[in-house]
C-alpha cells in the first residue's frame, strides 16, 4: 500500500479500512480535526475525521482510511486541553492479534494510542465510546444475525440498550464534572482564607499606593467566605436578622460608592453574587432588609411613593443635609444632574428629590427645559 511509507511509528492495532459492515453495525458519530498518536509519538495521520460505529473507529482524510476494532480497547483515559495542546483520549489496547487484517504496520507498537481532538469534541466522543464499549454490539450482533428478530423484541431491546448507554455516559460526565467542582471548591476555600489574611494586613497598613488599591478591589470580588444559611442560623426572625447583619457588612462600601442609596433589586443581585452557591430568595432578602436600622447597621429600608424599595445609608436627616449641600454647590439640580453627581440611578435620584420636596427641604421649578429643584428659602423666611 502506498500509504505505508507515511508512517514514522508503528500502529499495529489498526488495519486498512474495510467497506464491509459488520452485523448490526451502526454509525454513532463523525468528528473532524483528529490527529493520531502511537503512544507519545505523533504519526502522519493528521487532520482527519474520526467515525465512531458500534464496532470500530475509522480515521480518514479523504484518501487514507484505517480502522480500529472497539474490542481491542481495554480502558480509556482523558487528557485535558491546555493553552498550547488539544484535549486527548488515551485508548489502552489489548495485545495485537496475529490473525489481524493487514494495516499500517506489522510490528509491535505501544500499548496505547492517543486521539487528539484539535477542533474539540473529546467529551462527546468519550460518552459515545463508553456507550459502545458497554453495549458490545460486536458480540451480540453475531448471535442475533442468525435468527429472526421480532419487531417488538428487537425494537424494545435496542431502545433499552440506547437508554442504558445514555445513562452510563451521563453518569460518567456528571462524575467528572462534580470531581472538578470539588477540586475547585477546595482551592476556593484556601484562596478565601488567604484573601482574608491579606485583607487584614492591608487594613493595618497606613499608606496606600495604586497596587494596594487594585489588590483591595480584587479581594472585594471574591465574595462572602462563610455565608449565613438556615442550617447554621435557624429559621424565621433569627435567620433574617443574621442575614441582615451579613448584608449590612457587605453593603458598607458599595452603598457609599452608589451615593448612599441602592435599589433592593440591585442589593439582591450583589448579595447573591457575593454568596456564590449559597443563594437566597428575593423574599428572604426583603425580610433581611426590614431588620436593618440606622442605629445598629448604618442603613435602613425605605419605600418611595412610587413603590420602589431602596436601602439608604445613614438616616433621612443626614441624607437631606448632604442633598442640600449639593444643591448649594450647584444652585439647582435636576434628577439627571443629581444622578451624575452622586453616581446613583436617575430613578432613585428623582425619588430622593421628591421625598425632600415632600418634607419641605426643597422646592421645584417646572420649565420648558425640565424640572429643577432649589433649596426651599420660604421655610427659612418663615
Amino acid at each position: 500500500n502506498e500509504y505505508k511509507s507515511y508512517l514514522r511509528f508503528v500502529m499495529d492495532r489498526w488495519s486498512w479500512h474495510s467497506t464491509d459492515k459488520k452485523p448490526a453495525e451502526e454509525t454513532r458519530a463523525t468528528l473532524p480535526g483528529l490527529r493520531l498518536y502511537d503512544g507519545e509519538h505523533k504519526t502522519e495521520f493528521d487532520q482527519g475525521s474520526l467515525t465512531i460505529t458500534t464496532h470500530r473507529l475509522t480515521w480518514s482524510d479523504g484518501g487514507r482510511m484505517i480502522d480500529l476494532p472497539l474490542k481491542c480497547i481495554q480502558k480509556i483515559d482523558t487528557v485535558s486541553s491546555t493553552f498550547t495542546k488539544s484535549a486527548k483520549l488515551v485508548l489502552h489496547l489489548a495485545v495485537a492479534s496475529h490473525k489481524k487484517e493487514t494495516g499500517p504496520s506489522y510490528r509491535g507498537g505501544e500499548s496505547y494510542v492517543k486521539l487528539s481532538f484539535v477542533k474539540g469534541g473529546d467529551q462527546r466522543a468519550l460518552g459515545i465510546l463508553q456507550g459502545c464499549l458497554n453495549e458490545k454490539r460486536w458480540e451480540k450482533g453475531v448471535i442475533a444475525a442468525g435468527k429472526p428478530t421480532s419487531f417488538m423484541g428487537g425494537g424494545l431491546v435496542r431502545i433499552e440498550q440506547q437508554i442504558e448507554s445514555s445513562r452510563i455516559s451521563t453518569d460518567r460526565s456528571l462524575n467528572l464534572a462534580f470531581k472538578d467542582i470539588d477540586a475547585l471548591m477546595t482551592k476556593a476555600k484556601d484562596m478565601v482564607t488567604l484573601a482574608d489574611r491579606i485583607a487584614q494586613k492591608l487594613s493595618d497598613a497606613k499608606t496606600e499606593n495604586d497596587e494596594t488599591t487594585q489588590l483591595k478591589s480584587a479581594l472585594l470580588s471574591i465574595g462572602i467566605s462563610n455565608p449565613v444559611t438556615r442550617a447554621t442560623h435557624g429559621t424565621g426572625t433569627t435567620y433574617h436578622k443574621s442575614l441582615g447583619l451579613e448584608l449590612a457588612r457587605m453593603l458598607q462600601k458599595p452603598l457609599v460608592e452608589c451615593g448612599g442609596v441602592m435599589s433592593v433589586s440591585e442589593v439582591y443581585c450583589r448579595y447573591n453574587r457575593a454568596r456564590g452557591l449559597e443563594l437566597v430568595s428575593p423574599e428572604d432578602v426583603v425580610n433581611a432588609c426590614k431588620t436593618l436600622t440606622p442605629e445598629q447597621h448604618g442603613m435602613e429600608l425605605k419605600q418611595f411613593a412610587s413603590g420602589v424599595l431602596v436601602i439608604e445609608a445613614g438616616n433621612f436627616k443626614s441624607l437631606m443635609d448632604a442633598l442640600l449641600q449639593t444643591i448649594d454647590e450647584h444652585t439647582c439640580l435636576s434628577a439627571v444632574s443629581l444622578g451624575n453627581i452622586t453616581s446613583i440611578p436617575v430613578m432613585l435620584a428623582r425619588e430622593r428629590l421628591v421625598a425632600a420636596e415632600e418634607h419641605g427641604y426643597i422646592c421645584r421649578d417646572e420649565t420648558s427645559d425640565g424640572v429643577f429643584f432649589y433649596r426651599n428659602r420660604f421655610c427659612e423666611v418663615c
Side-chain angles (χ1 to χ4, degrees):
N1 192 304
E2 61 178 321
Y3 300 117
K4 295 180 182 179
S5 60
Y6 285 102
L7 285 179
R8 295 176 182 171
F9 303 98
V10 294
M11 294 175 60
D12 63 343
R13 277 72 162 183
W14 296 80
S15 60
W16 300 115
H17 177 66
S18 171
T19 56
D20 297 332
K21 294 196 69 173
K22 309 296 182 183
E25 182 179 10
E26 293 180 358
T27 300
R28 293 294 170 85
T30 299
L31 303 169
L34 193 106
R35 178 185 299 135
L36 297 183
Y37 285 75
D38 182 36
E40 299 297 324
H41 307 298
K42 185 187 300 184
T43 70
E44 294 291 343
F45 291 89
D46 193 3
Q47 295 300 323
S49 62
L50 180 72
T51 300
I52 305 174
T53 75
T54 53
H55 289 63
R56 56 185 167 177
L57 302 178
T58 300
W59 181 94
S60 171
D61 63 356
R64 297 172 295 174
M65 297 181 69
I66 54 176
D67 295 337
L68 176 67
L70 294 188
K71 63 182 180 182
C72 294
I73 302 175
Q74 295 181 321
K75 186 177 70 170
I76 303 177
D77 290 331
T78 59
V79 178
S80 302
S81 61
T82 62
F83 289 109
T84 57
K85 296 182 180 180
S86 57
K88 299 176 179 65
L89 295 184
V90 182
L91 309 182
H92 297 271
L93 306 178
V95 178
S97 172
H98 295 294
K99 297 180 179 180
K100 68 179 286 293
E101 299 178 4
T102 58
S105 174
Y106 301 99
R107 296 174 292 169
E110 302 286 352
S111 61
Y112 63 93
V113 294
K114 288 184 180 181
L115 310 180
S116 177
F117 294 82
V118 180
K119 297 184 179 180
D122 54 298
Q123 290 302 314
R124 180 188 175 200
L126 176 62
I128 295 173
L129 270 175
Q130 290 290 356
C132 292
L133 291 174
N134 290 321
E135 186 179 354
K136 294 185 178 180
R137 180 76 67 85
W138 57 88
E139 295 178 356
K140 300 174 184 179
V142 174
I143 298 174
K147 57 182 180 181
T149 304
S150 66
F151 174 78
M152 290 299 295
L156 290 176
V157 170
R158 178 169 297 180
I159 291 172
E160 290 176 355
Q161 291 174 345
Q162 290 177 346
I163 292 174
E164 181 65 15
S165 298
S166 177
R167 184 191 65 80
I168 293 173
S169 174
T170 302
D171 288 345
R172 178 174 291 273
S173 298
L174 288 174
N175 288 335
L176 289 173
F178 281 113
K179 187 180 297 183
D180 292 340
I181 290 176
D182 291 340
L184 177 61
M185 292 300 293
T186 301
K187 293 295 183 182
K189 291 179 181 178
D190 295 338
M191 289 300 296
V192 170
T193 303
L194 176 61
D196 290 339
R197 290 203 301 266
I198 296 175
Q200 183 62 40
K201 291 182 179 180
L202 289 176
S203 63
D204 296 338
K206 297 182 179 180
T207 59
E208 289 191 5
N209 51 35
D210 292 339
E211 292 182 355
T212 304
T213 303
Q214 292 178 4
L215 182 56
K216 282 188 174 182
S217 300
L219 293 176
L220 287 174
S221 66
I222 291 178
I224 300 171
S225 59
N226 189 23
V228 172
T229 63
R230 293 185 186 273
T232 58
H233 292 76
T235 58
T237 305
T238 303
Y239 172 63
H240 292 140
K241 286 183 177 179
S242 299
L243 280 181
L245 287 172
E246 183 179 74
L247 189 61
R249 288 195 299 268
M250 189 211 73
L251 289 178
Q252 289 294 339
K253 291 184 179 180
L255 202 55
V256 173
E257 294 172 357
C258 292
V261 62
M262 187 183 298
S263 66
V264 172
S265 58
E266 185 177 356
V267 169
Y268 170 77
C269 295
R270 283 176 177 254
Y271 187 40
N272 273 309
R273 180 182 178 186
R275 287 174 64 91
L277 298 177
E278 298 291 345
L279 304 181
V280 293
S281 67
E283 182 181 2
D284 285 334
V285 171
V286 173
N287 289 330
C289 291
K290 290 179 180 179
T291 66
L292 302 177
T293 60
E295 297 78 18
Q296 184 178 1
H297 305 94
M299 61 190 71
E300 61 181 336
L301 177 67
K302 285 284 187 178
Q303 183 173 8
F304 291 129
S306 62
V308 177
L309 293 174
V310 299
I311 297 295
E312 285 187 346
N315 54 54
F316 185 76
K317 183 63 169 60
S318 63
L319 288 176
M320 292 301 101
D321 291 341
L323 176 61
L324 291 176
Q325 182 179 354
T326 305
I327 291 178
D328 291 340
E329 293 174 356
H330 298 82
T331 306
C332 65
L333 289 176
S334 65
V336 175
S337 59
L338 178 61
N340 292 333
I341 293 170
T342 58
S343 301
I344 64 176
V346 175
M347 178 188 70
L348 298 185
R350 182 181 180 280
E351 295 288 357
R352 182 178 293 186
L353 290 169
V354 171
E357 181 186 29
E358 291 176 349
H359 287 77
Y361 288 98
I362 60 177
C363 57
R364 72 172 62 196
D365 179 21
E366 297 184 356
T367 69
S368 57
D369 295 330
V371 180
F372 297 89
F373 292 85
Y374 295 78
R375 177 189 279 269
N376 189 356
R377 302 293 182 183
F378 298 104
C379 291
E380 296 177 359
V381 173
C382 296

